Amino acid sequence: MPTLHFDQPDGSRTTVDAPVGISLMEAARQHAIPGIVALCGGACACATCHVYVDASWFATLEPPEEMELGMLESAAEPRVGSRLSCQVPVTAALDGLTVSVPRCQAG
Amino acid sequence: MISTIVIIGAGQAGAQAIDTLRREGYQGRLILVGDEPHLPYQRPPLSKKFLSGELPMERLPFRHQSFYDEHGVELKLGTRAGELDPTARRVTLSTGEKLDYDRLLLCLGADSRRLTCPGADLPGVHYLRSIADVPVIQEGLKPGARVVIIGGGYIGLETAATARKMGCTVHVLEMADRLMNRVVAANVSEYFAHEHRTQGVHIVCNTRVLRLEGLGRVERVVCADGTIYPADLLVAGVGAVANMRLAADAGLACDNGIVVDEHCRTSDPAIYAAGDCTYHPSLRFDMRVRLESVDNAFEQAKTAAQNMQGRSVVHDRVPWFWSDQFDNKLLIVGLSQGHDQQVTRGDPATRSFTVCYLKGGELLAVEAINQAKDYMAARKLIAERARPDLDKLADPNVPLKDCC
């Protein structure tokens, strides 16, 4: 199973193993990663699973669709690397992926 | 000293309360009672991807068993709370077990409103509310099956879309003159009726179901105008009612739901309530409401969990809702009741538009169809009581966030 790292604004890191096929958000939620609330459960309707994907990984992901881009534009603290984690499927290629939780969502 | 907290109801609110309680340092005994035999799970997919089979069962729960083990949660699933004695601070479960609590959180949810017409008690009349309701409906969703859905609200229309995608012949019977009439604007109703019809769903408004008929099980729906709709599968989505009997029988104030204050506290100071079952004050909209939504369940549970530990947090949020029907996403934020002005941004023919509601110049609510930017902007603006410039608002080329 691919290994994923979730970094918090306070510098703490949680590392989890996630099965291929679920979303990054589901992996985070199953492990109760702080700041990834994911209220809509992956419907791309709430932007409460917003994360920053590390620059080295960002380009390797399938680009976001229009709906996700629209959500991200007005999400809290958007920046380069912003993604809704519910829209990123876990694949074998993502082994070692690091994402950060935005400060305003954490805690 | 709060040393035992009991949560009745293992849905979105119950699961969230556990999360908040433990995250904020509550170390006492924590018991979660749920009448379904499942770990807390997501309900919205039941009419969408879970019904269609795209989302497997193992992806429905919020968290695995290990989360509850690690957080010291005593799960009592498949167990109903039978009786509540607020004086003794004791709940008696269907198993006979008695639980004493220091604080109690009621997350009782809502249940499907039942049809009352003759024949409503025939076998084969289905409602969609929990996992247990799904297999029998799924079984009926075969290509060519004649599916009749009573009620053109969220559940009815989402189920219709799923059934149609699975190749069924689908009729939606709605009593009002338009779809989702209580929750969206007329042009939004019209848009969704058009989308459903384009996909081959038969939308019939202004029709009253007179009775259900069949030998041993429902086989047809008879309407007041004499039209008969043969049904291989019948699903009714005619609203929901708050589950509040446990609270009402215990003497807690109830009125359309369990009455709570802005701290999510009931009329008993040791008992809190959260989610679909509550009738609560909305501070932003200055009225009491009962909301059926994931967002409200989450926010109220969080507030209740904080207050049960002695904090004084106020529930003051702008509610939001969503619905997926075919490839359309309907996003709603705010409550439009009492509006005195309505502005549509964009042309429904482009399949992306937004209806804005105002009251006294303030943005009150927004219905965004395939329009994430307007929706996200509105969430902030409505909370801030923003007053949009009407000329800019009517121009879809001006971003909503720049209209104020």
Side-chain angles (χ1 to χ4, degrees), chain A residues 37-107:
Chain A
V37 174
L39 273 179
C40 76
C44 199
C46 73
T48 59
C49 69
H50 176 203
V51 295
Y52 306 127
V53 177
D54 253 25
S56 55
W57 289 94
F58 188 66
T60 68
L61 303 178
E62 287 285 321
E65 290 184 9
E66 197 182 330
M67 197 71 190
E68 184 188 345
L69 285 173
M71 300 293 292
L72 283 170
E73 194 183 280
S74 296
E77 301 173 1
R79 68 171 203 217
V80 175
S82 279
R83 289 298 305 261
L84 295 184
S85 56
C86 71
Q87 303 299 307
V88 180
V90 174
T91 63
L94 294 191
D95 189 28
L97 175 77
T98 303
V99 302
S100 314
V101 176
R103 185 166 296 276
C104 60
Q105 277 170 226

Side-chain angles (χ1 to χ4, degrees), chain B residues 88-107:
Chain B
R89 295 193 175 177
R90 179 174 298 156
V91 181
T92 305
L93 306 183
S94 52
T95 53
E97 187 180 358
K98 294 179 191 307
L99 298 174
D100 291 335
Y101 62 81
D102 298 307
R103 292 289 179 269
L104 178 69
L105 177 59
L106 300 175
C107 308

Side-chain angles (χ1 to χ4, degrees), chain B residues 43-325:
Chain B
R43 242 170 252 283
L46 295 185
S47 52
K48 311 176 187 95
K49 287 186 175 173
F50 185 67
L51 184 60
S52 67
E54 288 167 77
L55 191 74
M57 182 80 164
E58 63 267 22
R59 287 173 71 181
L60 221 43
F62 299 108
R63 314 231 195 262
H64 293 146
Q65 177 73 45
S66 57
F67 171 83
Y68 300 95
D69 297 342
E70 285 161 17
H71 289 79
V73 180
E74 296 173 47
L75 292 174
K76 296 186 185 296
L77 303 176
T79 306
R80 195 173 278 277
E83 201 184 327
L84 166 59
D85 179 348
T87 310
R89 295 193 175 177
R90 179 174 298 156
V91 181
T92 305
L93 306 183
S94 52
T95 53
E97 187 180 358
K98 294 179 191 307
L99 298 174
D100 291 335
Y101 62 81
D102 298 307
R103 292 289 179 269
L104 178 69
L105 177 59
L106 300 175
C107 308
L108 306 179
D111 200 3
S112 308
R113 189 186 299 281
R114 305 282 149 165
L115 296 173
T116 53
C117 62
D121 53 353
L122 279 171
V125 177
H126 301 298
Y127 300 87
L128 187 45
R129 197 78 203 166
S130 52
I131 286 178
D133 299 325
V134 173
V136 66
I137 296 176
Q138 260 172 346
E139 206 174 294
L141 295 181
K142 297 189 181 84
R146 296 164 303 177
V147 176
V148 177
I149 291 169
I150 300 180
Y154 291 138
I155 298 278
L157 292 173
E158 289 177 358
T159 305
T162 304
R164 186 65 199 130
K165 280 192 269 187
M166 294 171 86
C168 305
T169 300
V170 184
H171 282 83
V172 175
L173 310 181
E174 168 59 46
M175 194 161 60
D177 60 355
R178 60 186 181 86
L179 299 175
M180 301 184 282
N181 73 312
R182 288 184 304 121
V183 289
V184 299
N187 57 351
V188 177
S189 294
E190 197 182 315
Y191 173 81
F192 276 93
H194 178 262
E195 287 290 307
H196 277 266
R197 286 182 178 130
T198 303
Q199 298 285 347
V201 176
H202 303 278
I203 301 285
V204 189
C205 290
N206 289 310
T207 191
R208 194 165 64 83
V209 172
L210 207 57
R211 61 180 182 275
L212 310 180
E213 292 180 348
L215 276 177
R217 55 163 288 127
V218 65
E219 290 166 351
R220 70 194 82 86
V221 180
V222 182
C223 289
D225 66 357
T227 313
I228 294 171
Y229 298 94
D232 300 315
L233 178 73
L234 187 141
V235 181
V238 290
V241 286
N243 289 327
M244 57 185 184
R245 181 181 289 180
L246 184 73
D249 287 353
L252 301 183
C254 291
D255 174 13
N256 182 36
I258 302 170
V259 173
V260 296
D261 64 15
E262 65 272 32
H263 298 100
C264 301
R265 194 191 291 241
T266 68
S267 55
D268 181 305
I271 305 176
Y272 291 74
D276 291 13
C277 66
T278 67
Y279 190 51
H280 64 273
S282 167
L283 301 181
R284 169 64 182 83
F285 297 97
D286 196 26
M287 59 180 169
R288 273 196 172 265
V289 290
R290 194 177 74 72
L291 301 173
E292 290 153 22
S293 85
V294 158
D295 151 64
N296 185 62
F298 171 89
E299 296 291 352
Q300 281 196 311
K302 202 170 145 187
T303 302
Q306 290 169 325
N307 291 334
M308 282 194 290
Q309 298 174 91
R311 292 180 60 181
S312 183
V313 179
V314 167
H315 172 70
D316 180 15
R317 307 288 296 193
V318 176
W320 54 269
F321 314 85
W322 87 93
S323 177
D324 293 318
Q325 295 169 35

Side-chain angles (χ1 to χ4, degrees), chain B residues 350-366:
Chain B
T350 63
R351 306 187 81 233
S352 171
F353 66 106
T354 304
V355 178
C356 303
Y357 296 87
L358 301 104
K359 184 182 180 182
E362 277 181 8
L363 191 61
L364 202 61
V366 154

Side-chain angles (χ1 to χ4, degrees), chain B residues 31-53:
Chain B
I31 304 163
L32 179 67
V33 179
D35 56 0
E36 293 179 64
H38 309 287
L39 288 174
Y41 66 89
Q42 312 168 74
R43 242 170 252 283
L46 295 185
S47 52
K48 311 176 187 95
K49 287 186 175 173
F50 185 67
L51 184 60
S52 67

